[in-house]
Amino acid sequence: MALMGIPIGHEDDPERTLLAALEIRHLSRTYSQRMKAEKNLSIALRIGVHMGLVVFDQVGSNQQMQYSVIGDAVNTAARMEQNARPDSILTTDAVYELTQHSFIFQKNDILLVKGKSKPIQTYEVLEAIKHEQRQRGFGLRTIPFIGREDPLAQLIL
């Protein structure tokens, strides 16, 4: 499990998460090709991504900090992983809504998952969109400001 936005949240954490997932998938594919050639073994990851509120606690020391997390978002991400096809990245509409201008998605099934009363629309992440400028689609969507309430209040005054 990988966590983004803990302990410090960023406005583009959903985007950073999908970029990390794409890189992990790329590395997995490269390793799988090598294992296939050397040992005739096939390896394929399933990656599930979701975002939401979690409860977390720090465990460890200053030299090695770890986090323990619980919550519905963790469970939903696990369900996305379980339902992903091998060698794919499956995400929810919550992540899709915030990142659709920066990635290419394939709309997938609506899933009924354990612990959820409503079905979830899922999307497969195919690749990142290469933007010519650093805009990356941010002008087309609302980005929540995290930890910047005071500077934002000064700008609005």
Side-chain angles (χ1 to χ4, degrees):
M1 176 182 359
L3 303 171
M4 299 295 270
I6 294 177
I8 299 170
H10 305 90
E11 289 86 5
D12 62 344
D13 277 338
E15 188 175 59
R16 290 176 184 214
T17 301
L18 294 186
L19 289 171
L22 287 167
E23 181 65 18
I24 290 167
R25 184 179 69 184
H26 170 73
L27 293 171
S28 171
R29 285 177 175 173
T30 302
Y31 182 72
S32 180
Q33 289 171 352
R34 193 173 97 216
M35 289 296 99
K36 185 72 172 170
E38 292 176 8
K39 302 182 186 234
N40 200 29
L41 294 174
S42 180
I43 299 169
L45 294 180
R46 299 170 191 256
I47 301 174
V49 179
H50 181 61
M51 62 176 285
L53 297 176
V54 297
V55 176
F56 80 99
D57 192 17
Q58 298 176 343
V59 180
S61 66
N62 289 341
Q63 287 77 32
Q64 183 177 2
M65 186 58 64
Q66 296 179 345
Y67 299 96
S68 174
V69 295
I70 58 171
D72 183 60
V74 176
N75 296 334
T76 304
R79 302 292 181 247
M80 293 303 104
E81 177 189 357
Q82 291 165 357
N83 284 282
R85 292 180 297 105
D87 201 34
S88 71
I89 304 165
L90 191 65
T91 190
T92 61
D93 50 355
V95 175
Y96 170 79
E97 289 298 322
L98 292 176
T99 59
Q100 64 183 310
H101 301 294
S102 297
F103 295 87
I104 297 173
F105 293 88
Q106 176 180 313
K107 190 173 184 177
N108 276 15
D109 298 330
I110 296 175
L111 296 178
L112 294 169
V113 297
K114 181 180 176 184
K116 291 287 198 177
S117 59
K118 295 181 181 178
I120 300 173
Q121 177 63 60
T122 63
Y123 297 85
E124 183 176 344
V125 183
L126 301 178
E127 63 183 283
I129 296 173
K130 308 290 186 219
H131 292 282
E132 299 213 7
Q133 298 175 352
R134 293 286 297 163
Q135 178 181 344
R136 299 183 312 205
F138 289 148
L140 303 174
R141 64 182 165 122
T142 303
I143 303 169
F145 286 109
I146 299 172
R148 299 186 185 184
E149 291 80 11
D150 291 338
L152 183 60
Q154 290 175 357
L155 287 173
I156 294 174
L157 294 178

